[in-house]
């Protein structure tokens, strides 16, 4: 089946094959064509070009994009979309002056979500999660990473990863699964960290590998959570099962965690609200992608990742939502792109690169997703009629998306 989109006002993020990511100054360049066509065959991008060269295809389905912008769907490389219930009360607690740490110390935070998840059936978790997944697809997300981490028990973590697998089987969106057993220490292991890490390594990991439930492994490397040494144990164990690391790091403090992640060839280091000059130097000499989560900074009023400083040093940067019930209850990548422009002073070009091609790299799918490239998946956003793609972050409170196509089909 062929679909021919014609009269595209701006066709953006057009790339040749083989470009996996963009870094530093390159991030300011967003290749585009004006008055263009895009040809889709089945689930792949077959061709694109100027309307002057548009083929005549009498059997193709024609879509007229006069006045509209076409771009690749967002690649959201960091989410906790599978969870049970919500943490609305903690939102109110923060407004009333409690810090993230104080809420956690009262049994809130991650442990609150773990309690809810372990008390909820697989079916109910799936039903809640699919609603969220369908919403983000309509908002233009065409590839997503989803973490476990609200089980903190062998059964709970397996339950979450099975739900993630079921979502991947039932929806066309590309889903990557990350095992995050090292999200927090359960109450019973509060004084026995090594005991819980032994549980992760000796019981959780073998079962996950047996069912092939995860692509990546993660840990919350942070003061009061998992130390550098503890995280290194987890990264080493993951490697034995073929799980590459994607690590939460430098959200509240810098404790040389980035150096440890790079040493273990982590695919990405995520959060980075606090970044030192030493961290930047370490990342410069690596293939590790830095991932910023601006809507988390927005929601819990913590600093934003220093994007301008990092790009000036030549680093690549990806953007993701951190969609989770406690610190970012939103999977809206449009808002993430806008917030990166408004609060992190990224240009629209930089932010879109970070949310598409670099997001794809941060979840290991840049060969098939993240740009308008012949042979890649036909995952595209068609906007409503707009003046230019700059309007996407400018009108941050409006939904300017008219149509989303995933694998060549309108969703």
């Amino acid at each position: 089946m062929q679909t021919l989109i014609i009269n595209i006002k701006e066709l953006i993020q057009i790339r040749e094959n083989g470009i996996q990511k963009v870094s530093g100054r390159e991030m300011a360049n967003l290749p585009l064509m004006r008055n263009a066509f895009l040809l889709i065959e089945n689930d792949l991008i077959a061709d694109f070009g100027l309307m002057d060269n548009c083929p005549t295809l009498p059997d193709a389905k024609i879509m007229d994009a006069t006045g509209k912008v076409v771009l690749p769907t967002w690649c959201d490389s960091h989410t906790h979309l599978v969870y049970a219930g919500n943490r609305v009360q903690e939102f109110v607690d923060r407004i009333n002056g409690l810090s993230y740490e104080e809420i956690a110390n009262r049994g809130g935070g991650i442990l609150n979500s773990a309690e809810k998840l372990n008390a909820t059936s697989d079916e109910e978790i799936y039903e809640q999660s699919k609603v969220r997944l369908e919403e983000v697809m309509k908002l233009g997300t065409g590839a997503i990473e989803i973490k476990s981490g609200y089980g903190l028990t062998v059964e709970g973590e397996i339950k979450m990863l099975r739900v993630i697998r079921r979502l991947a089987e039932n929806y066309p969106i590309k889903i990557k699964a990350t095992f995050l057993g090292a999200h927090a220490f359960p109450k019973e292991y509060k004084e026995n960290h090594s005991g819980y890490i032994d549980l992760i390594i000796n019981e959780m990991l073998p079962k996950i590998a047996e069912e092939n439930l995860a692509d990546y492994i993660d840990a919350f490397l942070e003061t009061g959570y998992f130390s550098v040494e503890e995280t290194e144990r987890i990264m080493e164990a993951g490697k034995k099962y073929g799980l590459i690391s994607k690590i939460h790091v430098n959200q509240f403090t810098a404790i040389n965690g980035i150096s440890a992640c790079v040493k273990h060839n982590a695919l990405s280091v995520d959060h980075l609200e606090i970044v030192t000059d030493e961290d930047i130097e370490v990342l410069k000499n690596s293939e590790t992608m830095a991932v910023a989560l601006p809507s988390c900074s927005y929601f819990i009023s913590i600093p934003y990742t220093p994007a301008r400083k990092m790009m000036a040093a030549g680093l690549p940067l990806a953007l993701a939502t951190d969609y989770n019930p406690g610190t970012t209850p939103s999977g809206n990548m449009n808002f993430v792109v806008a917030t990166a422009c408004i609060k992190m002073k990224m240009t629209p070009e930089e932010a879109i690169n970070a949310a598409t091609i670099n997001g794809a790299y941060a979840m290991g799918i840049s060969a098939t997703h993240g740009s308008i490239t012949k042979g890649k998946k036909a995952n595209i956003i068609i906007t409503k009629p707009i003046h230019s793609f700059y309007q996407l972050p400018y009108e941050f409170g409006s939904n300017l998306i008219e149509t989303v196509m995933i694998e060549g089909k309108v969703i």
Side-chain angles (χ1 to χ4, degrees):
M1 181 182 166
Q2 291 183 318
T3 302
L4 182 63
I5 306 172
I6 59 171
N7 300 322
I8 300 166
K9 182 171 187 172
E10 293 175 330
L11 178 63
I12 69 174
Q13 191 57 291
I14 53 175
R15 301 273 179 184
E16 294 298 316
N17 272 300
I19 297 170
Q20 292 191 310
K21 62 181 177 179
V22 287
S23 307
R25 287 182 185 172
E26 295 170 1
M27 289 188 65
N29 178 34
L30 186 65
L32 63 80
M33 278 182 183
R34 293 186 172 89
N35 193 24
F37 74 89
L38 176 67
L39 176 62
I40 294 166
E41 288 186 358
N42 299 317
D43 61 338
L44 300 176
I45 294 167
D47 199 9
F48 58 85
L50 297 173
M51 278 304 294
D52 290 347
N53 304 316
C54 184
T56 302
L57 300 167
D59 295 329
K61 177 188 174 186
I62 306 296
M63 297 176 73
D64 191 341
T66 299
K68 301 168 187 176
V69 172
V70 172
L71 67 156
T73 51
W74 310 122
C75 296
D76 189 352
S77 68
H78 182 127
T79 84
H80 308 254
L81 177 142
V82 169
Y83 58 86
N86 63 62
R87 290 187 355 225
V88 146
Q89 186 54 49
E90 293 176 17
F91 169 64
V92 178
D93 290 342
R94 267 197 308 278
I95 293 169
N96 285 321
L98 290 183
S99 70
Y100 183 90
E101 291 79 7
E102 286 169 328
I103 289 166
N105 290 336
R106 287 176 21 160
I110 295 161
L111 297 183
N112 182 0
S113 284
E115 190 176 332
K116 285 188 172 82
L117 184 120
N118 284 304
T120 305
S121 72
D122 304 39
E123 188 62 30
E124 179 56 27
I125 294 165
Y126 176 79
E127 289 297 322
Q128 291 182 27
S129 300
K130 80 174 191 181
V131 171
R132 294 187 280 266
L133 185 65
E134 288 169 8
E135 180 191 31
V136 302
M137 289 166 66
K138 288 172 186 168
L139 290 168
T141 294
I144 194 166
E145 180 258 21
I146 308 175
K147 304 177 191 293
S148 68
Y150 293 130
L152 308 184
T153 61
V154 178
E155 299 76 19
E157 290 295 307
I158 297 290
K159 177 160 70 171
M160 286 191 75
L161 289 165
R162 285 176 179 158
V163 168
I164 296 168
R165 181 175 63 188
R166 189 174 162 197
L167 291 169
E169 289 168 350
N170 292 340
Y171 287 89
I173 184 172
K174 181 70 172 178
I175 296 176
K176 287 286 194 173
T178 298
F179 168 50
L180 178 56
H183 201 186
F185 287 98
K187 289 172 189 170
E188 59 270 32
Y189 287 98
K190 193 173 181 184
E191 306 303 326
N192 181 16
H193 286 195
S194 63
Y196 183 60
I197 294 168
D198 286 343
L199 185 74
I200 289 171
I201 293 170
N202 299 326
E203 294 192 45
M204 294 184 191
L205 269 171
K207 284 190 167 68
I208 289 161
E210 188 182 330
E211 292 189 43
N212 195 26
L213 288 171
D215 302 293
Y216 302 112
I217 192 164
D218 195 350
F220 189 8
L221 199 175
E222 184 54 76
T223 302
Y225 289 85
F226 290 79
S227 70
V228 172
E229 295 74 23
E230 289 165 345
T231 303
E232 287 196 277
R233 273 191 72 195
I234 289 155
M235 288 192 282
E236 291 273 10
K239 277 183 203 169
K240 290 175 184 168
Y241 293 97
L243 301 182
I244 299 165
S245 302
K246 283 170 62 63
I247 304 294
H248 286 63
V249 64
N250 285 46
Q251 183 174 3
F252 303 112
T253 57
I255 52 174
N256 295 318
I258 288 174
S259 179
C261 295
V262 167
K263 183 173 86 175
H264 288 275
N265 300 309
L267 176 60
S268 71
V269 284
D270 302 30
H271 272 291
L272 311 185
E273 287 86 352
I274 309 296
V275 180
T276 66
D277 292 341
E278 291 77 17
D279 292 329
I280 287 173
E281 287 304 312
V282 167
L283 284 168
K284 267 189 195 177
N285 304 307
S286 78
E287 294 301 311
T288 300
M289 178 64 70
V291 179
L293 310 170
S295 47
C296 176
S297 298
Y298 172 87
F299 191 71
I300 62 170
S301 302
I302 59 174
Y304 288 85
T305 303
R308 293 250 58 90
K309 183 176 181 180
M310 294 168 76
M311 290 186 296
L315 295 181
L317 189 66
L319 291 169
T321 62
D322 194 25
Y323 194 178
N324 76 80
T327 61
T328 322
S330 168
N332 189 343
M333 281 292 287
N334 305 283
F335 180 74
V336 167
V337 168
T339 305
C341 294
I342 296 161
K343 294 296 187 181
M344 293 163 60
K345 304 304 178 191
M346 294 178 77
T347 65
E349 291 87 349
E350 290 164 342
I352 290 171
N353 274 322
T356 55
I357 194 164
N358 283 3
Y361 180 93
M363 51 192 293
I365 58 168
S366 47
T368 53
H369 293 73
S371 63
I372 302 295
T373 300
K374 290 176 191 177
K376 283 195 177 184
K377 289 292 184 183
N379 287 14
I380 64 162
I381 292 168
I382 305 173
T383 70
K384 297 171 183 174
I386 57 176
H387 300 296
S388 85
F389 70 87
Y390 286 172
Q391 214 166 323
L392 293 169
Y394 170 70
E395 292 190 18
F396 68 92
S398 300
N399 181 4
L400 299 178
I401 294 173
E402 185 172 88
T403 305
V404 178
M405 297 179 78
I406 296 181
E407 301 204 339
K409 293 188 176 73
V410 173
I411 59 131

